[in-house]
Amino acid sequence: MPPPTHDQTYNTEDVSIAVFTAAANYLRARLPSELNSPKVAIICGSGLGQLADTIENKVEFAYEDIPGFVSSTVPGHLGKLAFGLIGDKRIPTVFMVGRFHFYEGHTLKQITFPVRVFKMLGVEILIVTGATGALSREFKVGMIGVTTDHISLPGLAGNNPLFGPNVSAFGPRFPPMSNAYDYDLRVIAFKAADYLRFPTGTLKEAIYTFVGGPSFETRAEARYLSLIGGDLVGMSTVPEVIVARHCGIKVLGLTLVSNMVAIGKGKCADPAEQDLNGIEEPLVNHEEVLQTGKERALDMQKLVKTIIDLIPST
Ligand SMILES: O=P(O)(O)O[C@H]1O[C@H](CO)[C@@H](O)[C@H]1O
């Protein structure tokens, strides 16, 4: 089958490798040689688009112009790919400035489409960033979670981006996920924080709990997520990680804790339960999430750049 040209209409549910090839070819044809084989890809989470501001020789593409890409509709997610050189070693890198979310109405295949395009371009390491709410009280707003593992509630309930025919050119039918978050990259993340003299405890390893959103959790749901082992909760990242691991890309997950999740029982109307009334916990909102991103953008930028500098093989 001849590869489709970029101006054809694409069905990203089509698992044919040609759709990924078409997107990769479209980008490669428009990039200078120093940028057309990026080693690292970085997905910028809510309010973290400024991560791409440190790159040099930047070349950008609007998502709408790239074959197979859908559009980003969430405030704080601009909707462009930015290629450039990062860090002292000038590593060719691609940033997704704005990600796709399941709750936007895209399919899991659509939101993870870019990851396979990155693989075709030669990406070896994916750094997924995101904003999260803290379920565990060991985390505070502004801390950075280094993901060690995840719990995918949508995945356990049958929503996995690898559902459907396997594209064996990318990876096996049954990929393991017990090693999803690369140990060496996590060690480097802590070394980078140390090098940057971040206060001790700024980074902490965490289990990321993926929920579908877009409504934030109820208190009972949050207690449940905490009980099953989640430290942090977010509405993204995990589908991208599964697809990256399926095709052998190493993953580092960094999440900025943007809010504390309300886990208390809340106010009781029953007079017999009045003694149990805990403190009132504030309602979370997306503006708070974006604000934390803005306040911590510089540190996240420095961290990502230093991590890339410290990766021996790049
Ligand atoms: O995961 P990112 O995209 O950083 O964003 C997080 O912040 C948004 C909610 O405020 C949700 O999209 C959640 O997943």
Side-chain angles (χ1 to χ4, degrees):
M1 181 172 113
T5 55
H6 80 271
D7 48 1
Q8 279 180 253
T9 305
Y10 289 86
N11 171 11
T12 45
E13 293 302 309
D14 175 1
V15 292
S16 157
I17 195 134
V19 290
F20 302 101
T21 314
N25 287 347
Y26 173 85
L27 295 165
R28 219 181 266 125
R30 289 159 179 78
L31 285 165
S33 58
E34 60 175 3
L35 298 179
N36 70 10
S37 190
K39 290 286 152 270
V40 180
I42 298 168
I43 302 182
C44 303
S46 284
L48 297 171
Q50 287 177 35
L51 288 178
D53 290 355
T54 54
I55 51 178
E56 291 170 33
N57 300 14
K58 195 187 286 186
V59 178
E60 295 181 325
F61 299 87
Y63 289 160
E64 301 74 277
D65 296 337
I66 310 170
F69 273 55
V70 287
S71 300
S72 188
T73 64
V74 184
H77 292 264
L78 276 181
K80 59 185 183 183
L81 277 192
F83 291 77
L85 303 172
I86 190 169
D88 299 341
K89 290 192 268 175
R90 297 170 64 80
I91 303 299
T93 301
V94 53
F95 284 77
M96 267 188 88
V97 188
R99 63 151 50 85
F100 308 128
H101 302 85
F102 196 28
Y103 62 74
E104 291 173 80
H106 305 311
T107 67
L108 288 168
K109 287 212 167 22
Q110 287 171 323
I111 67 175
T112 55
F113 182 84
V115 175
R116 286 181 165 175
V117 176
F118 297 157
K119 174 71 183 179
M120 297 200 103
L121 291 174
V123 164
E124 292 164 9
I125 292 172
L126 174 68
I127 303 180
V128 278
T129 70
T132 45
L135 300 162
S136 160
R137 270 32 193 168
E138 290 183 24
F139 289 83
K140 299 279 172 274
V141 171
M143 282 173 68
I144 296 165
V146 181
T147 310
T148 55
D149 205 343
H150 70 231
I151 300 172
S152 172
L153 289 181
L156 293 173
N159 286 306
N160 184 307
L162 302 178
F163 261 47
N166 183 49
V167 192
S168 55
F170 285 113
R173 170 77 292 188
F174 300 108
M177 283 296 142
S178 53
N179 60 349
Y181 299 89
D182 192 79
Y183 172 77
D184 293 336
L185 290 175
R186 281 186 276 139
V187 170
I188 289 171
F190 282 93
K191 277 194 186 143
D194 195 41
Y195 173 85
L196 291 165
R197 298 185 192 283
F198 282 4
T200 311
T202 304
L203 265 61
K204 188 170 170 57
E205 288 190 313
I207 295 178
Y208 182 105
T209 322
F210 169 47
V211 293
S215 52
F216 288 105
E217 303 67 48
T218 66
R219 291 186 302 264
E221 286 166 347
R223 281 198 298 281
Y224 168 71
L225 299 178
S226 178
L227 267 174
I228 63 172
D231 295 314
L232 303 174
V233 56
M235 308 170 192
S236 69
T237 305
V238 166
E240 299 149 4
V241 172
I242 291 173
V243 168
R245 292 304 301 139
H246 177 247
C247 63
I249 296 176
K250 289 183 186 173
V251 170
L252 174 67
L254 299 175
T255 75
L256 177 62
V257 179
S258 56
N259 58 284
M260 299 306 291
V261 178
I263 51 170
K265 209 175 159 202
K267 282 180 107 179
C268 302
D270 179 350
E273 299 276 338
Q274 291 292 307
D275 287 351
L276 295 177
N277 276 342
I279 45 164
E280 279 229 41
E281 293 165 292
L283 289 178
V284 57
N285 59 69
H286 189 59
E287 288 62 43
E288 178 187 2
V289 170
L290 295 182
Q291 182 58 29
T292 312
K294 216 187 235 171
E295 285 163 16
R296 303 287 288 131
L298 206 60
D299 275 351
M300 285 294 279
Q301 244 179 30
K302 286 194 246 171
L303 182 64
V304 167
K305 179 185 159 298
T306 308
I307 288 170
I308 294 174
D309 278 343
L310 291 178
I311 297 173
S313 54
T314 55

